């Protein structure tokens, strides 16, 4: 009988493809080919109605046996396959004797390393280290420093204001480290020789200005302190850090909390490193001036002494505030302050 032969051929065919199926996808294809809605065995079973009752009995039995066998084979093959996959995964070995892919030793961020070098120099000159909060009150950041509300000098110190329910007066992200002067003077009597390193925040962003940067504040108060002491200490500091040959200049300036005030510039290291390349266009760091401002300084204003109940007739002092990123840029010849804060390992690994 033709259909019986057809069923035998189908069985042989199924056996061959089953043996060759080594993936779950291939097994599924075998199932679809023979037992799917239009599968080869399914369509034989669908045509049983056209056979004589006798044929139906023998062919029907054979076809159903074949269907049962095929289903059992497919199940067996699927179980075997997943067992083999599990065994394979278990047999995977990890060679624990291989050397690790180490990250290598890390190092301090260049800004922090510079900050430490700066503080070391002042500590050697007898200054003690103090810290203050980064979220500061309007009083310490401005008011006590002779910068009352609406003082024009506040324009250069725009910052984030922090709303704190239950606290009177605005809190803000400090714009400089000078408020630490007030906090220290409030709790101590002169003589005083302190520095205060830390992060500060301003609405600033270009190649030499970052919205978050670091300053080191300095304050020395005693009897008979003069501007010449300020010049002596800061010149010694610059020479210690950059070497004796780097030019330093004191330029008259204004800060509400010092009188007289000065800004200290040092010769632009970027220009000197690359003078030839910059012959056609001005240096973008010093804007062609040849100088870069690193700090503001001056003699402590009597109004500040009065705010902390020191008598300006019996003591005098000087203060300064230094930009750490600027110093780091000059030390390493970096022409864009933003490089410090992009987290690019190609940059950071060079230190
Ligand atoms: C001040 O912040 C004063 N508190 C400094 C001071 C202290 C003067 C004590 C007198 C007595 P100034 O705004 O100039 O001053 O900033 C000081 C230094 O911080 C600058 O010389 C510069 O080196 C650095 N600086 C200022 N703004 C930025 C900024 N956005 N990004 C990086 N560095 C900055």
């Amino acid at each position: 009988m033709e259909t019986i032969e057809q069923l035998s051929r189908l069985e042989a065919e199924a056996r061959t493809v089953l043996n060759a199926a080594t993936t779950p996808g291939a097994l599924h294809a075998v199932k679809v080919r023979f037992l799917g809605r239009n599968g080869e065995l399914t369509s034989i079973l669908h045509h049983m109605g056209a056979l004589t009752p006798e044929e139906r009995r023998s062919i029907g039995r054979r076809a159903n046996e074949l269907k049962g066998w095929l289903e059992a084979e497919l199940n067996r093959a699927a179980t075997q396959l997943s067992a083999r996959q599990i065994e394979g995964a278990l047999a995977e070995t990890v060679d624990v004797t291989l050397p690790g892919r180490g990250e290598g030793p890390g190092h301090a961020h260049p800004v922090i390393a510079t900050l430490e070098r700066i503080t070391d120099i002042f500590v050697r000159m007898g200054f003690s280290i103090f810290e203050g909060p980064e979220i500061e009150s309007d009083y310490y950041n401005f008011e006590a420093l002779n910068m009352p509300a609406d003082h024009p000098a506040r324009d250069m110190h725009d910052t984030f204001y922090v709303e704190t329910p239950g606290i009177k007066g605005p809190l803000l992200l400090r714009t400089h480290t000078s408020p630490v002067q007030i906090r220290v003077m409030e709790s101590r009597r002169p003589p005083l020789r302190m520095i205060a390193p830390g992060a500060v925040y301003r609405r600033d962003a270009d190649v030499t200005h970052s919205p978050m940067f670091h300053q080191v504040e300095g304050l020395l108060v005693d009897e008979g302190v003069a501007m010449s002491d300020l010049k002596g200490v800061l010149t010694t500091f610059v020479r210690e850090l950059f070497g004796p040959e780097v030019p330093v200049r004191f330029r008259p300036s204004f800060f509400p909390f010092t009188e007289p005030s000065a800004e200290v510039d040092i010769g632009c290291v970027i220009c000197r490193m690359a003078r030839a390349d910059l012959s056609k266009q001005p240096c973008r760091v010093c804007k062609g001036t040849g100088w870069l401002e690193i700090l503001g300084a001056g003699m402590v204003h009597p109004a500040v002494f009065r705010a902390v109940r020191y008598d300006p007739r019996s003591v005098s002092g000087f203060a300064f505030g230094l930009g750490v990123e600027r110093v780091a840029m000059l030390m390493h010849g970096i022409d864009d302050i933003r490089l410090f804060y992009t987290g690019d390992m190609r940059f950071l690994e060079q230190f």
Side-chain angles (χ1 to χ4, degrees):
M1 279 193 299
E2 202 198 323
T3 319
I4 290 285
E5 277 162 26
Q6 212 182 334
L7 285 171
S8 301
R9 268 204 311 278
L10 219 63
E11 183 181 348
E13 185 71 12
R15 226 179 257 286
T16 317
V17 291
L18 263 174
N19 285 339
T22 52
T23 64
L27 274 185
H28 183 70
V30 175
K31 187 174 180 179
V32 172
R33 175 176 166 187
F34 294 102
L35 301 174
R37 195 138 43 94
N38 300 312
E40 292 175 32
L41 185 55
T42 315
S43 50
I44 294 177
L45 286 164
H46 278 170
H47 289 99
M48 285 293 159
L51 303 176
T52 63
E54 211 162 295
E55 280 174 331
R56 209 180 300 151
R57 213 175 302 125
S58 60
I59 294 175
R61 182 162 13 94
R62 178 85 178 89
N64 277 323
E65 272 170 13
L66 185 55
K67 188 178 176 213
W69 170 80
L70 197 53
E71 280 171 349
E73 280 301 293
L74 281 166
N75 278 339
R76 192 189 51 76
T79 315
Q80 227 171 37
L81 205 65
S82 63
R84 232 177 286 143
Q85 273 175 340
I86 293 170
E87 268 167 34
L90 290 176
E92 244 175 49
T93 50
V94 176
D95 185 349
V96 291
T97 64
L98 281 175
R101 245 180 267 131
E103 290 300 318
H107 57 73
H109 187 279
V111 170
I112 299 304
T114 307
L115 194 127
E116 281 167 3
R117 279 190 64 179
I118 295 168
T119 51
D120 271 359
I121 296 172
F122 285 112
V123 166
R124 269 187 273 132
M125 288 198 265
F127 287 75
S128 312
I129 301 177
F130 288 85
E131 284 188 335
E134 288 177 27
I135 299 178
E136 197 39 289
S137 71
D138 186 88
Y139 176 77
Y140 285 108
N141 199 79
F142 294 124
E143 202 81 27
L145 288 161
N146 201 27
M147 262 197 269
D150 302 324
H151 193 293
R154 286 196 182 204
D155 284 357
M156 286 184 289
H157 289 241
D158 197 6
T159 184
F160 289 104
Y161 285 81
V162 185
E163 268 196 42
T164 317
I167 288 192
K168 200 169 140 268
L171 287 181
L172 45 90
L173 291 187
R174 67 178 179 190
T175 58
H176 51 175
T177 42
S178 301
V180 188
Q181 287 185 35
I182 305 295
R183 288 180 175 278
V184 173
M185 284 194 283
E186 273 182 348
S187 61
R188 282 161 199 260
R189 305 300 304 166
L192 206 69
R193 222 186 299 183
M194 58 147 276
I195 52 167
V200 301
Y201 305 84
R202 286 189 200 177
R203 191 177 181 277
D204 264 351
D206 61 35
V207 291
T208 54
H209 293 83
S210 169
M212 188 282 299
F213 61 102
H214 296 78
Q215 288 189 337
V216 174
E217 190 75 13
L219 174 69
L220 187 147
V221 184
D222 205 341
E223 286 168 14
V225 178
M227 187 84 179
S228 52
D229 297 311
L230 162 75
K231 285 189 82 170
V233 166
L234 291 178
T235 307
T236 306
F237 162 72
V238 171
R239 299 218 166 115
E240 278 283 310
L241 198 62
F242 292 101
E245 68 292 341
V246 168
V248 190
R249 79 174 179 189
F250 287 74
R251 187 164 38 82
S253 186
F254 172 80
F255 296 102
F257 35 93
T258 48
E259 180 59 35
S261 305
E263 237 135 7
V264 177
D265 301 337
I266 73 162
C268 178
V269 182
I270 313 285
C271 282
R272 274 186 295 140
M273 273 184 188
R275 197 173 290 288
D277 316 30
L278 294 165
S279 54
K280 289 193 195 73
Q281 58 191 57
C283 165
R284 64 178 186 145
V285 173
C286 70
K287 309 210 166 51
T289 62
W291 295 96
L292 202 76
E293 173 199 319
I294 59 164
L295 62 88
M299 301 305 292
V300 179
H301 196 289
V304 174
F305 280 145
R306 281 193 292 271
V308 296
R309 305 193 191 293
Y310 281 12
D311 181 358
R313 285 165 307 182
S314 53
V315 289
S316 58
F318 67 77
F320 57 88
L322 169 99
V324 180
E325 280 77 357
R326 295 282 173 81
V327 170
M329 287 170 81
L330 290 167
M331 274 169 52
H332 300 292
I334 296 161
D335 69 356
D336 190 337
I337 198 168
R338 292 166 294 197
L339 285 166
F340 289 125
Y341 298 113
T342 46
D344 187 335
M345 292 306 288
R346 290 169 302 179
F347 170 75
L348 295 172
E349 276 167 355
Q350 291 177 44
F351 294 91

